[in-house]
Amino acid sequence: MRWSWKVATIAGIPIRIHATFFLLLVWIAWQSAAGGGGLRQALGGAGFILAAFACIVLHELGHALMGRRFGVVTKDITLLPIGGLARLDRIPRRPPEEVAIALAGPAVNVAIAAVLLLFMHLSPGVYDFGDPLLYQRSFVAPLFVWNLLVTAFNLIPAFPMDGGRVLRALLAMRLDYVRATRIAANVGQGIALLFAVLGVLWNPMLILIAFFVFLGAGAESSFVQMRSVFDGVPVSRAMIRDFRALEASDPISKAVELLLDGHQQDFPVLAGPNGDPPIGILTRSDLLKSLAGGRTDIRVGDVARTPCGVAGPNEMLEQVFQRMQESGCNAVPVVEPGRGIVGMLTLENVGEYAMVQAALHRAAKVAPIV
């Protein structure tokens, strides 16, 4: 994820912090100082946030380590102001596995809460549960309540929370995966609307949560729908066969001519004129950035993106599409051994292919029986 930095590696999983997380710490410290609490209270507030998000990291590690048992790899965990985000390389299609992975996170928070409760019970002189100011004076007691709230929130049956994934898995035991996801997403969006109403009447923070849940549920449904369209489809079915290539030594003025002459926006860049393997991609956005300086004699090879890699015509579309999203590349050349570049795969064309297939699928469902 952009604007995030790696701060640690736990169990082989990179832990990253997003830039917006530091804004949360600053906001908490400023709120404490503005309330007259002074530097000590400001540091205490920031310390509690760090401890709370350490529990979030453990929550996400619970998902990751349970997923590892089923062969699901966690690429990284990123801390955001709204919580943690674990990037899994795939979603398990077997419902019992998805249930186990989804519940592993809340189980970690329950375990943390149990340990904190035991600690407070073993310290009766310090933690008096009859004290109405306990949660203001103590550091451990609010952390105990925090873990209970995280558990309850994540078990709400709405994407992207864990409860939504459990609901989808239970539905998938009786329904096909796409339909189960659609129903679970609709339930989640219904709950989001309820949160929005409660936010207007009670706490505005619920409006932000409603927005997050509504978008997350819709994104999950769209992702699974698109993945079902790509299932078992090779790259050759969706690639562009009519394309133009550039050489690394060409001036970008040539790319401008090709861009204005046709519909192609992204160009494979070759090392030389002899059908050499592509060395990168010149995207429309990178071309326009290079033109911003007013020069058109810059070499194409100097502005081409090199980490985009290539795809094979027989590779599965779903896997290549995922690589493109992760690398931030809008296009990749499709290379066949012995023939060189045989096509181009672009995010735009992949989206169009998905829309066409989805429309054909809907038409097949409503076609009259004769």
Side-chain angles (χ1 to χ4, degrees), residues 134-197:
L134 173 64
Y135 296 99
Q136 298 179 19
R137 297 173 178 171
S138 168
F139 183 87
V140 175
L143 197 59
F144 164 74
V145 175
W146 162 259
N147 278 278
L148 293 182
L149 291 175
V150 168
T151 302
F153 178 74
N154 274 279
L155 290 179
I156 295 174
F159 287 120
M161 278 87 76
D162 302 325
R165 303 192 181 282
V166 172
L167 175 61
R168 190 254 303 278
L170 295 177
L171 291 171
M173 293 180 182
R174 303 293 298 271
L175 306 172
D176 69 84
Y177 197 74
V178 175
R179 187 180 178 192
T181 301
R182 188 182 304 117
I183 293 173
N186 290 338
V187 171
Q189 290 185 328
I191 293 175
L193 293 176
L194 177 61
F195 278 176
V197 172

Side-chain angles (χ1 to χ4, degrees), residues 48-313:
F48 176 80
I49 290 296
L50 291 175
F53 273 84
C55 295
I56 293 295
V57 171
L58 294 175
H59 173 107
E60 298 298 337
L61 284 172
H63 292 310
L65 297 180
M66 180 61 72
R68 186 176 291 181
R69 295 184 57 187
F70 301 115
V72 178
V73 176
T74 301
K75 298 179 178 179
D76 56 37
I77 294 173
T78 302
L79 291 179
L80 301 163
I82 56 175
L85 175 64
R87 285 200 310 142
L88 307 180
D89 68 336
R90 63 182 179 86
I91 299 174
R93 296 298 292 266
R94 295 184 58 196
E97 294 179 0
E98 183 170 18
V99 169
I101 293 174
L103 292 181
V108 170
N109 292 110
V110 171
I112 294 173
V115 170
L116 295 176
L117 182 62
L118 178 63
F119 175 80
M120 289 188 289
H121 271 291
L122 294 177
S123 308
V126 179
Y127 298 96
D128 180 7
F129 289 95
D131 183 0
L133 299 179
L134 173 64
Y135 296 99
Q136 298 179 19
R137 297 173 178 171
S138 168
F139 183 87
V140 175
L143 197 59
F144 164 74
V145 175
W146 162 259
N147 278 278
L148 293 182
L149 291 175
V150 168
T151 302
F153 178 74
N154 274 279
L155 290 179
I156 295 174
F159 287 120
M161 278 87 76
D162 302 325
R165 303 192 181 282
V166 172
L167 175 61
R168 190 254 303 278
L170 295 177
L171 291 171
M173 293 180 182
R174 303 293 298 271
L175 306 172
D176 69 84
Y177 197 74
V178 175
R179 187 180 178 192
T181 301
R182 188 182 304 117
I183 293 173
N186 290 338
V187 171
Q189 290 185 328
I191 293 175
L193 293 176
L194 177 61
F195 278 176
V197 172
L198 293 176
V200 172
L201 299 176
W202 180 40
N203 189 335
M205 181 61 69
L206 290 176
I207 299 177
L208 178 62
I209 295 175
F211 180 74
F212 168 66
V213 172
F214 193 91
L215 291 183
E220 183 73 18
S221 182
S222 299
F223 172 76
V224 171
Q225 176 70 41
M226 180 172 289
R227 192 177 68 175
S228 70
V229 172
F230 295 164
D231 193 21
V233 176
V235 167
S236 59
R237 292 271 299 276
M239 70 182 186
I240 299 172
R241 301 176 187 274
D242 181 16
F243 65 94
R244 300 289 298 274
L246 294 166
E247 296 177 15
S249 59
D250 288 334
I252 61 172
S253 57
K254 183 175 180 180
V256 173
E257 293 176 6
L258 294 178
L259 180 67
L260 297 177
D261 286 344
H263 61 277
Q264 190 174 345
Q265 296 186 350
D266 305 296
F267 303 90
V269 179
L270 307 178
N274 301 319
D276 297 324
I279 62 171
I281 288 286
L282 178 63
T283 66
R284 177 177 177 271
S285 60
D286 290 337
L287 174 59
L288 295 178
K289 287 179 183 177
S290 64
L291 292 173
R295 294 182 56 189
T296 59
D297 57 344
I298 303 175
R299 294 172 64 252
V300 166
D302 294 334
V303 293
R305 295 192 186 187
T306 55
C308 292
V310 299

